[in-house]
Amino acid sequence: MSKSVAIIGTRGYPSYYGGFETLIRRLGPYLVEAGWDVTVYGRPGAVKTDDPLLDPQVTSVMTKGLETKSLSTLSYGMTSSLSAARRKPDVALIMNVANGYWLPLLRSRGIPTVVNVDGIEWERAKWGTNAKRVFRGGARLTAKYASELVCDSHEIRRRWQRDFGRDGVFIPYGGDAPDRLPVVEGLKSREYVLIVARFVPENTVPEFLQAARELSEKWDVVIVGSSGYGGELDVAAKKLAEQSPRVQWLGHVSNDQKLFSLWQHAGAYFHGHSVGGTNPALVQAMACGAPTIARDTVYNREVLGGAGIFCEPTSTSISHGVLGLMANPDLRDQISQKAIERARSEYSWDDICARYDRSISRLVRTCESKSDLR
């Protein structure tokens, strides 16, 4: 008899919004193959039902919620948790500590929970004071009520040990190693600078946009990303692309093959994320062999190891680092090969999915053993 798992806290299956969604696109079918009955909760309109890679054995359930920047995660998490509490799966896999508020409900129904705590959300500049307070409160409740934690980096794990007295299982994100792809039309291999990021200040987007003015005097610059809600950075990217013929702003790119090609053929990929653990975009960029220059953080150093170079979060430092990398083809090729090898050895999807399978299986067995002793 198969065991059942409910996955809560993503936009659904299959969705291409962000790192959680990328994980579930791989994990859902993997767990089905491993014998699990998998239900993924999502949001109406956020999934691609015509995706050729869709596994029909993964059950997709849509719930209602408030589609606003500050309330969407909480509201969809609540309705998903209420539905899961009624269905009573053997285990729930939950993404994002904001859903910590609903863990007591799941516990009251005897449903063990594994929570991917993601990054340190309450330190993100994009959130106001109230939102940061909500995330911090959710983290406290997660520390208190979650059966097990998943930390996507060793540094995040240390933060939870220090700040909340809870340990967790280390499971990072994975990356796909694509075949050689054609260059995106209008670009030349290794002759453009790339950034892929959600448009929030802690991803060093404002500083990169400023640096792009200087970079575009010599190289093409490709900007992938948006805020998702409109805003000053979207306006700035649009204006920059209109003013400079060598700057392209592509917005959000949901076509994996196009995105993989952009990373694969970039002369330099700038990764400016500063708050979080193992960033999914960085891992995928490595798997594609993108020569990476990253903002100097403990998280980026942990993921890249020696497969990248680092800069400070200023437009001057970004420009200096990117121009130096673009001018050194030998260094660029060396970094690219190291990145591919590191992604293959440390961040393969099969290994990541197997770790999740072991984690939720172990938790179910533990709960069954406790039940048998009663």
Side-chain angles (χ1 to χ4, degrees):
M1 183 177 175
S2 63
K3 295 295 183 182
S4 57
V5 56
I7 299 176
I8 296 170
T10 77
R11 291 180 175 245
Y13 171 84
S15 175
Y16 287 76
Y17 180 76
F20 281 156
E21 288 72 24
T22 301
L23 167 63
I24 300 311
R25 290 204 315 272
R26 300 303 298 259
L27 181 60
Y30 182 97
L31 292 177
V32 167
E33 187 68 22
W36 288 89
D37 178 5
V38 180
T39 297
V40 181
Y41 285 92
R43 308 180 186 185
V47 301
K48 293 183 66 173
T49 55
D50 59 346
D51 192 326
L53 298 179
L54 181 148
D55 187 334
Q57 297 178 93
V58 176
T59 302
S60 184
V61 176
M62 301 298 152
T63 63
K64 295 181 180 180
L66 300 174
E67 200 59 64
T68 68
K69 181 179 178 181
S70 58
L71 294 176
S72 59
T73 299
L74 279 173
S75 60
Y76 282 106
M78 179 184 71
T79 55
S80 297
S81 297
L82 285 168
S83 176
R86 288 193 299 270
R87 291 169 177 250
K88 204 173 179 185
D90 293 300
V91 63
L93 174 60
I94 297 165
M95 308 294 170
N96 198 317
V97 296
N99 291 311
Y101 291 97
W102 320 124
L103 294 180
L105 167 66
L106 297 171
R107 176 183 275 197
S108 73
R109 294 285 291 157
I111 303 169
T113 51
V114 177
V115 181
N116 182 316
V117 299
D118 198 27
I120 311 298
E121 284 288 338
W122 52 94
E123 292 183 359
R124 295 188 189 273
K126 71 174 182 177
W127 299 119
T129 302
N130 289 335
K132 289 179 179 179
R133 190 175 295 121
V134 167
F135 278 113
R136 183 80 183 187
R140 291 194 189 97
L141 289 168
T142 296
K144 184 175 182 180
Y145 290 106
S147 306
E148 186 166 285
L149 305 183
V150 168
C151 303
D152 65 32
S153 80
H154 294 294
E155 184 61 29
I156 291 291
R157 186 179 180 183
R158 283 190 284 269
R159 283 290 303 268
W160 276 78
Q161 289 170 337
R162 187 190 75 194
D163 295 354
F164 299 101
R166 278 293 303 265
D167 198 1
V169 178
F170 168 62
I171 309 179
Y173 292 98
D176 291 298
D179 294 330
R180 195 67 177 170
L181 297 166
V183 185
V184 171
E185 187 176 353
L187 298 172
K188 294 182 179 180
S189 187
R190 296 299 191 221
E191 293 189 19
Y192 61 90
V193 179
L194 175 69
I195 181 175
V196 179
R198 194 162 300 150
F199 281 12
V200 290
E202 62 265 24
N203 289 347
T204 328
V205 177
E207 294 84 358
F208 180 84
L209 293 179
Q210 188 175 348
R213 297 184 181 279
E214 179 181 353
L215 298 174
S216 63
E217 292 176 3
K218 189 170 184 180
W219 303 101
D220 288 336
V221 177
V222 179
I223 301 167
V224 175
S226 69
S227 67
Y229 294 91
E232 292 182 6
L233 292 176
D234 298 74
V235 172
K238 181 181 179 182
K239 184 177 179 181
L240 181 61
E242 290 172 345
Q243 291 176 342
S244 174
R246 301 199 71 172
V247 175
Q248 293 186 53
W249 176 40
L250 303 184
H252 177 71
V253 174
S254 61
N255 183 320
D256 274 356
Q257 295 304 297
K258 182 176 182 178
L259 192 55
F260 292 175
S261 172
L262 288 169
W263 272 316
Q264 201 173 69
H265 293 283
Y269 164 60
F270 173 68
H271 184 82
H273 295 62
S274 62
V275 180
T278 298
N279 183 267
L282 179 55
V283 172
Q284 187 56 61
M286 291 165 62
C288 292
T292 300
I293 175 168
R295 178 169 172 168
D296 195 355
T297 70
V298 290
Y299 307 114
N300 292 338
R301 282 190 176 274
E302 177 182 321
V303 176
L304 281 165
I309 59 177
F310 301 92
C311 68
E312 295 304 311
T314 66
S315 60
T316 300
S317 183
I318 294 168
S319 295
H320 179 76
V322 169
L323 289 173
L325 186 56
M326 293 294 287
N328 192 335
D330 290 340
L331 176 61
R332 195 170 59 205
D333 292 344
Q334 180 184 353
I335 288 176
S336 174
Q337 190 57 42
K338 282 185 177 180
I340 292 171
E341 292 169 358
R342 184 165 174 80
R344 185 185 300 123
S345 64
E346 302 293 333
Y347 301 104
S348 77
W349 272 123
D350 281 347
D351 180 49
I352 272 66
C353 290
R355 292 195 215 179
Y356 272 101
D357 184 15
R358 288 195 296 270
S359 181
I360 61 177
S361 296
R362 183 172 59 248
L363 185 55
V364 170
R365 287 196 301 270
T366 300
C367 291
E368 287 177 342
S369 298
K370 290 181 179 179
S371 178
D372 291 342
L373 291 174
R374 291 194 185 110

